Amino acid sequence: MKITEEIKKHLLFTELSEKDLKSISEFSSVESYKKDTFIFETGHTADCIYLITEGRVSIEMHEPVRGSLILESLTKGQLLGLSWLSYPSHWIFDAKCLDDVSVIKIDAKRLAEFCESNHEAGYNIMKNIALLIRDRLQSTRLQLMDIYATSREILRI
Amino acid sequence: MKQPNVMIPEAYTVRKKSKETHDIFSLLLHPEKDCMTFKPGQFNMLYLPGQGEVPISFSGKNGDGGIIHTIRKVGSVTDKLSLLREGDEIGIRGPFGRGWPVERARDRDVVLVAGGIGLAPLRPVIHEVMENRNKYNKLILLYGTRTPDDILFEKELHDWLARFDIDVILSVDRSVPGWHGHAGVIPNFIQGTDFDPKNACAMICGPEIMMNFSVKALLARGMKAEDIYISMERNMKCAVGHCGHCQFGAFFICKDGPVFSYPEVSGIIGLKEI
């Protein structure tokens, strides 16, 4: 898999020049994970960003009474891991593979340095991250709305 | 030949009642007289004497002239319908309305997006495609529910998941311990689904908000608005466009719908005043 070609397809890196894409590919790698293994776990250092190229990943949180709960699942083409944005930081959820998974793993510290040193590309990347966060916020709001409830359930009658 | 009066219900007998979830059940109904033919997406008015009438979409049929309606307990009439037993009779008027564009979907990828009980009106489309599999390209079902306990037609879903000629993506808004499937709102999964947006026909049925977000995701994938169909729901009473209860802009949902192409309703869907 040619990393430059793969990251070029991702929403995160639209509007970037070939030179910028090549720079980012230098601190990116292709990784594979087996089904039921963790890509990262709560509390560990959040120092990477992942672009899923194959398989499904669940974002989970462990709660002592209920055990592990899947909050969201991500698939091919989606971005995994946003905790690195406040680098240095720690993961606040677990990321578990629901299938055999392939990702492009990008060094978050070096990506942040790249954005600092190249403001135009950095602005484009951050703008795209803002769009992804907007979409996740909208999805979370939909989940909170409980859209499948009947009017009777909403009004508690 | 004398035309039947669409305002007079015909008698149907409950042959089988199946519990689907804690608040959804299906009735297999057989006519006392002539068998009814319907198109996927159409609906009947189910009449319970002394209680009232409710519009319910077809969710299937059996080969013996029976029709299946899948019903959620949402009010007094549906509560009473849930108390019916095998052998009981109800009145039915129908079929009414414009159904799904199953003819137009031929030789294309068929993308079905269902939310909650919205799977029931889409189930006859799945049956139609499976019965005529060589006339359609890919068949994709994206189905979202509230929790794993709210999954409809669970046995049939398992059968579909085991087939190679249908892709099923099932997601719950709220997972529970032990759930190993997808979680998250169903429009999110449209982006990663493998179909040809230039040669697809999408049919969406579910809560209006979910349909709105699904349409946006399908348009973002490059689908043309005229290839996207949604099933609208309003308070239907007469079912023939006379009473005006289900007026939706310039349309009556019972007569002009319930299935609309997206361009027909894109200017009014989601408006508070409509």
Coordinates of all heavy atoms in Angstrom, one line a residue, chain B residues 66-127:
Chain B
G66 N -52.3 -14.4 2.4 CA -52.3 -13.6 3.6 C -51.4 -12.4 3.5 O -50.4 -12.4 2.7
I67 N -51.7 -11.4 4.3 CA -50.8 -10.2 4.3 C -50.3 -10.0 5.7 O -50.9 -10.4 6.7 CB -51.6 -8.9 3.9 CG1 -52.9 -8.8 4.7 CG2 -51.9 -9.0 2.4 CD1 -53.6 -7.4 4.5
I68 N -49.2 -9.4 5.8 CA -48.6 -9.2 7.2 C -48.4 -7.7 7.4 O -48.0 -6.9 6.6 CB -47.2 -9.8 7.2 CG1 -47.3 -11.3 6.9 CG2 -46.6 -9.6 8.6 CD1 -45.9 -12.0 6.7
H69 N -48.9 -7.3 8.6 CA -48.7 -5.9 9.1 C -47.9 -6.0 10.4 O -48.2 -6.7 11.3 CB -50.0 -5.2 9.3 CG -50.7 -4.8 8.1 ND1 -50.2 -3.8 7.3 CD2 -51.9 -5.3 7.5 CE1 -51.1 -3.6 6.2 NE2 -52.0 -4.5 6.4
T70 N -46.9 -5.1 10.5 CA -46.0 -5.0 11.7 C -46.3 -3.7 12.3 O -46.3 -2.6 11.7 CB -44.6 -5.2 11.3 OG1 -44.4 -6.5 10.7 CG2 -43.7 -5.1 12.5
I71 N -46.7 -3.8 13.6 CA -47.3 -2.7 14.3 C -46.6 -2.3 15.6 O -46.3 -3.2 16.4 CB -48.8 -3.0 14.6 CG1 -49.6 -3.4 13.3 CG2 -49.5 -1.8 15.3 CD1 -50.8 -4.2 13.5
R72 N -46.4 -1.1 15.8 CA -45.8 -0.6 17.1 C -46.9 -0.1 18.0 O -47.8 0.7 17.5 CB -44.8 0.4 16.9 CG -44.0 0.8 18.1 CD -42.8 1.7 17.8 NE -42.0 1.9 18.9 CZ -41.0 2.8 19.0 NH1 -40.8 3.6 18.0 NH2 -40.3 2.9 20.1
K73 N -46.9 -0.4 19.3 CA -47.9 0.1 20.2 C -47.6 1.6 20.5 O -46.6 1.8 21.3 CB -47.9 -0.7 21.5 CG -48.4 -2.1 21.3 CD -48.7 -2.8 22.6 CE -47.5 -3.4 23.2 NZ -47.7 -3.9 24.6
V74 N -48.3 2.5 19.9 CA -48.0 3.9 20.1 C -49.3 4.6 20.6 O -49.2 5.8 20.9 CB -47.5 4.6 18.8 CG1 -46.2 4.0 18.4 CG2 -48.5 4.4 17.7
G75 N -50.4 4.0 20.7 CA -51.6 4.7 21.1 C -52.7 3.7 21.4 O -52.5 2.5 21.4
S76 N -53.9 4.3 21.6 CA -55.0 3.4 22.0 C -55.4 2.3 21.0 O -55.7 1.2 21.4 CB -56.3 4.2 22.4 OG -56.7 5.0 21.3
V77 N -55.5 2.7 19.7 CA -55.9 1.6 18.7 C -54.8 0.5 18.6 O -55.2 -0.6 18.6 CB -56.2 2.3 17.4 CG1 -56.6 1.2 16.4 CG2 -57.3 3.4 17.5
T78 N -53.6 1.0 18.5 CA -52.5 -0.1 18.3 C -52.4 -0.9 19.6 O -52.0 -2.1 19.6 CB -51.2 0.6 18.0 OG1 -50.9 1.7 18.8 CG2 -51.2 1.1 16.5
D79 N -52.7 -0.3 20.8 CA -52.7 -1.0 22.0 C -53.7 -2.1 22.0 O -53.4 -3.3 22.3 CB -53.0 -0.1 23.2 CG -51.8 0.7 23.7 OD1 -50.7 0.5 23.2 OD2 -52.0 1.6 24.5
K80 N -54.9 -1.8 21.4 CA -56.0 -2.8 21.4 C -55.7 -3.8 20.3 O -56.0 -5.0 20.5 CB -57.3 -2.1 21.0 CG -57.9 -1.2 22.2 CD -58.3 -2.1 23.3 CE -59.1 -1.4 24.4 NZ -58.4 -0.3 25.1
L81 N -55.0 -3.4 19.2 CA -54.7 -4.4 18.2 C -53.7 -5.4 18.7 O -53.7 -6.6 18.3 CB -54.0 -3.7 17.0 CG -54.9 -2.9 16.0 CD1 -54.1 -2.0 15.0 CD2 -55.8 -3.9 15.2
S82 N -52.9 -4.9 19.7 CA -51.9 -5.9 20.3 C -52.5 -6.9 21.1 O -51.9 -7.9 21.5 CB -50.8 -5.1 21.1 OG -51.4 -4.7 22.3
L83 N -53.8 -6.7 21.5 CA -54.5 -7.7 22.3 C -55.3 -8.8 21.5 O -55.8 -9.7 22.0 CB -55.5 -7.0 23.2 CG -54.9 -5.9 24.2 CD1 -56.0 -5.2 24.9 CD2 -53.9 -6.6 25.1
L84 N -55.2 -8.6 20.1 CA -55.9 -9.5 19.3 C -55.3 -10.9 19.4 O -54.1 -11.0 19.7 CB -55.8 -9.1 17.8 CG -56.6 -7.9 17.4 CD1 -56.3 -7.4 15.9 CD2 -58.1 -8.2 17.4
R85 N -56.1 -11.9 19.2 CA -55.6 -13.3 19.2 C -56.0 -14.0 17.9 O -56.8 -13.5 17.1 CB -56.3 -14.0 20.4 CG -55.7 -13.5 21.7 CD -56.4 -14.3 22.9 NE -57.8 -14.0 23.0 CZ -58.6 -14.4 24.0 NH1 -58.0 -15.0 25.0 NH2 -59.9 -14.1 24.0
E86 N -55.3 -15.1 17.7 CA -55.6 -15.9 16.5 C -57.1 -16.2 16.4 O -57.7 -16.7 17.4 CB -54.8 -17.1 16.5 CG -53.3 -16.8 16.2 CD -52.4 -18.0 16.3 OE1 -52.8 -19.2 16.2 OE2 -51.2 -17.8 16.5
G87 N -57.7 -15.9 15.2 CA -59.1 -16.2 15.0 C -59.9 -14.9 15.1 O -61.1 -14.9 14.7
D88 N -59.4 -13.9 15.8 CA -60.1 -12.6 15.9 C -60.2 -12.0 14.5 O -59.4 -12.2 13.6 CB -59.4 -11.7 16.8 CG -59.6 -12.1 18.3 OD1 -60.5 -12.9 18.5 OD2 -58.8 -11.6 19.1
E89 N -61.2 -11.1 14.4 CA -61.5 -10.4 13.1 C -61.2 -8.9 13.2 O -61.5 -8.3 14.3 CB -62.9 -10.6 12.6 CG -63.1 -11.8 11.8 CD -64.5 -11.9 11.1 OE1 -65.2 -10.9 11.3 OE2 -64.8 -12.9 10.4
I90 N -60.7 -8.3 12.1 CA -60.6 -6.9 12.1 C -61.1 -6.4 10.7 O -61.2 -7.3 9.8 CB -59.2 -6.3 12.3 CG1 -58.2 -6.8 11.3 CG2 -58.7 -6.7 13.7 CD1 -56.9 -6.0 11.3
G91 N -61.3 -5.1 10.5 CA -61.6 -4.6 9.2 C -60.4 -4.0 8.5 O -59.6 -3.4 9.2
I92 N -60.3 -4.1 7.2 CA -59.2 -3.5 6.5 C -59.7 -2.8 5.3 O -60.5 -3.3 4.5 CB -58.2 -4.6 6.1 CG1 -57.4 -5.1 7.3 CG2 -57.2 -4.0 5.1 CD1 -56.3 -6.1 7.0
R93 N -59.2 -1.6 5.1 CA -59.4 -0.8 3.8 C -58.1 -0.7 3.2 O -57.1 -0.3 3.8 CB -60.0 0.6 4.1 CG -61.4 0.6 4.7 CD -62.0 2.0 4.6 NE -61.3 2.9 5.5 CZ -60.8 4.1 5.1 NH1 -60.8 4.5 3.8 NH2 -60.2 4.9 5.9
G94 N -58.0 -0.9 1.9 CA -56.8 -0.7 1.2 C -56.6 -1.6 0.0 O -57.6 -2.3 -0.4
P95 N -55.4 -1.6 -0.6 CA -54.2 -0.9 -0.3 C -54.3 0.6 -0.8 O -54.9 0.8 -1.8 CB -53.1 -1.7 -1.0 CG -53.8 -2.2 -2.2 CD -55.2 -2.5 -1.8
F96 N -53.6 1.4 -0.1 CA -53.5 2.8 -0.5 C -52.1 3.3 -0.7 O -51.2 2.8 -0.2 CB -54.1 3.7 0.7 CG -55.6 3.4 0.9 CD1 -56.0 2.8 2.1 CD2 -56.6 3.7 0.0 CE1 -57.3 2.6 2.4 CE2 -57.9 3.5 0.3 CZ -58.3 2.9 1.5
G97 N -52.0 4.4 -1.4 CA -50.8 5.2 -1.5 C -49.9 4.7 -2.6 O -50.1 3.7 -3.3
R98 N -48.8 5.5 -2.8 CA -47.8 5.2 -3.8 C -46.6 4.5 -3.1 O -46.2 5.0 -2.0 CB -47.3 6.6 -4.4 CG -46.2 6.4 -5.4 CD -46.0 7.7 -6.1 NE -45.5 8.8 -5.2 CZ -45.0 10.0 -5.7 NH1 -44.9 10.2 -6.9 NH2 -44.7 10.9 -4.8
G99 N -46.2 3.4 -3.6 CA -45.2 2.6 -3.0 C -43.7 2.9 -3.4 O -43.5 4.0 -4.1
W100 N -42.8 2.1 -3.1 CA -41.4 2.2 -3.4 C -41.2 2.0 -4.9 O -41.8 1.2 -5.5 CB -40.6 1.2 -2.6 CG -40.6 1.4 -1.1 CD1 -41.2 0.5 -0.3 CD2 -40.1 2.4 -0.3 NE1 -41.1 1.0 1.0 CE2 -40.4 2.2 1.0 CE3 -39.4 3.6 -0.6 CZ2 -40.0 3.0 2.1 CZ3 -39.0 4.4 0.4 CH2 -39.3 4.2 1.7
P101 N -40.1 2.6 -5.5 CA -39.9 2.5 -6.9 C -39.1 1.3 -7.3 O -38.0 1.4 -7.8 CB -39.1 3.8 -7.2 CG -38.3 4.0 -5.9 CD -39.2 3.5 -4.8
V102 N -39.7 0.1 -7.0 CA -39.0 -1.1 -7.3 C -38.7 -1.4 -8.7 O -37.6 -2.0 -9.1 CB -39.7 -2.4 -6.7 CG1 -39.6 -2.4 -5.1 CG2 -41.2 -2.4 -7.1
E103 N -39.5 -0.9 -9.6 CA -39.3 -1.0 -11.1 C -38.1 -0.1 -11.5 O -37.2 -0.5 -12.2 CB -40.5 -0.6 -11.9 CG -41.7 -1.4 -11.6 CD -41.6 -2.8 -12.3 OE1 -40.9 -2.9 -13.3 OE2 -42.3 -3.7 -11.8
R104 N -38.1 1.1 -11.0 CA -37.0 2.1 -11.3 C -35.7 1.6 -10.8 O -34.6 2.0 -11.3 CB -37.4 3.4 -10.7 CG -36.5 4.6 -11.3 CD -37.1 5.9 -10.9 NE -36.3 6.9 -11.6 CZ -35.3 7.6 -11.0 NH1 -35.0 7.3 -9.8 NH2 -34.6 8.4 -11.7
A105 N -35.7 0.8 -9.7 CA -34.4 0.4 -9.1 C -33.8 -0.8 -9.9 O -32.6 -1.2 -9.5 CB -34.7 0.0 -7.7
R106 N -34.4 -1.3 -10.9 CA -33.9 -2.5 -11.6 C -32.6 -2.1 -12.3 O -32.4 -1.0 -12.8 CB -34.9 -3.0 -12.6 CG -36.0 -3.7 -11.8 CD -36.9 -4.5 -12.7 NE -37.8 -5.3 -11.8 CZ -38.8 -6.0 -12.2 NH1 -39.1 -6.0 -13.5 NH2 -39.6 -6.6 -11.4
D107 N -31.7 -3.0 -12.3 CA -30.3 -2.8 -12.9 C -29.5 -1.8 -12.2 O -28.6 -1.2 -12.8 CB -30.4 -2.5 -14.4 CG -31.1 -3.6 -15.2 OD1 -30.7 -4.8 -15.0 OD2 -31.9 -3.3 -16.0
R108 N -29.8 -1.5 -11.0 CA -29.1 -0.6 -10.2 C -28.8 -1.2 -8.8 O -29.4 -2.2 -8.4 CB -29.9 0.7 -9.9 CG -30.3 1.5 -11.1 CD -31.2 2.6 -10.6 NE -31.7 3.4 -11.7 CZ -31.8 4.7 -11.6 NH1 -31.4 5.4 -10.5 NH2 -32.3 5.4 -12.6
D109 N -27.8 -0.5 -8.1 CA -27.6 -0.9 -6.7 C -28.8 -0.4 -5.9 O -29.2 0.7 -6.1 CB -26.3 -0.3 -6.2 CG -25.1 -0.9 -6.8 OD1 -25.2 -2.0 -7.4 OD2 -24.0 -0.4 -6.6
V110 N -29.3 -1.2 -5.0 CA -30.4 -0.8 -4.2 C -29.9 -0.6 -2.8 O -29.4 -1.5 -2.1 CB -31.5 -1.9 -4.2 CG1 -32.7 -1.5 -3.4 CG2 -32.0 -2.3 -5.6
V111 N -30.1 0.6 -2.3 CA -29.6 1.0 -1.0 C -30.8 1.3 -0.1 O -31.5 2.3 -0.4 CB -28.7 2.2 -1.0 CG1 -28.1 2.6 0.3 CG2 -27.5 2.0 -2.0
L112 N -31.0 0.5 0.9 CA -32.1 0.7 1.8 C -31.6 1.2 3.2 O -30.7 0.6 3.7 CB -32.9 -0.7 2.0 CG -33.3 -1.4 0.7 CD1 -34.0 -2.7 1.0 CD2 -34.2 -0.5 -0.1
V113 N -32.2 2.3 3.6 CA -31.8 2.8 4.9 C -33.0 2.8 5.8 O -34.0 3.5 5.5 CB -31.2 4.2 4.8 CG1 -30.6 4.7 6.1 CG2 -30.2 4.3 3.7
A114 N -33.0 2.0 6.9 CA -34.2 1.9 7.7 C -33.8 2.2 9.2 O -32.7 1.9 9.6 CB -34.7 0.4 7.7
G115 N -34.8 2.9 9.8 CA -34.6 3.2 11.2 C -35.8 2.8 12.0 O -36.9 3.1 11.7
G116 N -35.5 2.0 13.1 CA -36.6 1.5 14.0 C -37.6 0.7 13.2 O -37.2 -0.2 12.4
I117 N -38.9 1.0 13.4 CA -39.9 0.2 12.7 C -40.0 0.5 11.2 O -40.7 -0.1 10.4 CB -41.3 0.4 13.4 CG1 -42.3 -0.7 12.9 CG2 -41.8 1.8 13.1 CD1 -43.6 -0.7 13.7
G118 N -39.2 1.5 10.8 CA -39.0 1.8 9.3 C -38.5 0.6 8.5 O -38.7 0.6 7.3
L119 N -38.0 -0.4 9.2 CA -37.6 -1.6 8.4 C -38.9 -2.4 7.9 O -38.8 -3.0 6.8 CB -36.8 -2.6 9.3 CG -36.3 -3.9 8.7 CD1 -35.4 -3.6 7.5 CD2 -35.6 -4.7 9.7
A120 N -40.0 -2.3 8.6 CA -41.2 -3.0 8.2 C -41.7 -2.6 6.8 O -41.9 -3.5 6.0 CB -42.3 -2.9 9.2
P121 N -41.8 -1.3 6.5 CA -42.3 -1.0 5.1 C -41.2 -1.3 4.0 O -41.6 -1.4 2.8 CB -42.5 0.5 5.2 CG -42.7 0.8 6.6 CD -41.8 -0.2 7.3
L122 N -40.0 -1.5 4.4 CA -38.9 -1.8 3.4 C -38.7 -3.3 3.2 O -38.1 -3.7 2.3 CB -37.6 -1.2 3.9 CG -37.5 0.4 3.6 CD1 -36.3 0.9 4.3 CD2 -37.4 0.7 2.1
R123 N -39.3 -4.1 4.2 CA -39.1 -5.5 4.1 C -39.7 -6.1 2.7 O -39.0 -6.9 2.1 CB -39.7 -6.2 5.3 CG -39.3 -7.7 5.3 CD -39.6 -8.4 6.6 NE -41.0 -8.6 6.8 CZ -41.5 -9.6 7.5 NH1 -40.7 -10.5 8.1 NH2 -42.8 -9.8 7.7
P124 N -40.8 -5.6 2.3 CA -41.3 -6.2 1.0 C -40.4 -5.8 -0.2 O -40.4 -6.6 -1.2 CB -42.7 -5.5 0.8 CG -43.1 -5.2 2.2 CD -41.9 -4.8 3.0
V125 N -39.6 -4.7 -0.1 CA -38.7 -4.4 -1.1 C -37.5 -5.5 -1.1 O -37.1 -6.0 -2.2 CB -38.1 -3.0 -0.9 CG1 -37.0 -2.7 -2.0 CG2 -39.2 -1.9 -0.9
I126 N -37.1 -5.8 0.1 CA -36.0 -6.8 0.2 C -36.5 -8.2 -0.4 O -35.8 -8.8 -1.2 CB -35.6 -7.0 1.7 CG1 -35.1 -5.7 2.2 CG2 -34.5 -8.1 1.8 CD1 -34.8 -5.7 3.7
H127 N -37.8 -8.5 -0.1 CA -38.3 -9.8 -0.6 C -38.4 -9.7 -2.1 O -38.1 -10.6 -2.8 CB -39.7 -10.0 0.0 CG -39.7 -10.3 1.4 ND1 -40.8 -10.1 2.3 CD2 -38.7 -10.7 2.3 CE1 -40.5 -10.5 3.5 NE2 -39.2 -10.8 3.5

